[in-house]
């Protein structure tokens, strides 16, 4: 497994875990109401997964 694959798995798990916690806390509905016009539930996770992850400089 490469570092990129491991990072992708961690990002996906974090996204699912984060949404689950927001849903259980009752805050997800408030966040979804505040999305910019034209955005929906499907575009939010997609945008979050597309964000780049900063990597440390090579040693």
């Amino acid at each position: 497994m490469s570092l990129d694959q491991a990072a992708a798995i961690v990002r996906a798990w974090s996204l699912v875990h984060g949404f689950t916690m927001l849903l259980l806390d009752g805050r997800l509905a408030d966040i979804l109401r505040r999305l910019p016009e034209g955005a929906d539930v499907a575009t939010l996770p997609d945008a979050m997964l597309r964000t780049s992850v900063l990597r440390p400089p090579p040693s």
Side-chain angles (χ1 to χ4, degrees), residues 32-53:
L32 294 176
R33 278 194 299 271
R34 296 173 187 226
L35 286 176
E37 189 170 321
D40 59 11
V41 172
T43 59
L44 182 59
D46 184 54
M48 292 172 73
L49 286 172
R50 288 177 191 255
T51 58
S52 61
V53 175

Side-chain angles (χ1 to χ4, degrees), residues 14-40:
S14 297
L15 184 65
V16 169
H17 177 68
F19 270 102
T20 302
M21 294 310 297
L22 289 172
L23 181 62
L24 292 175
D25 289 347
R27 293 182 285 165
L28 185 58
D30 183 50
I31 291 170
L32 294 176
R33 278 194 299 271
R34 296 173 187 226
L35 286 176
E37 189 170 321
D40 59 11

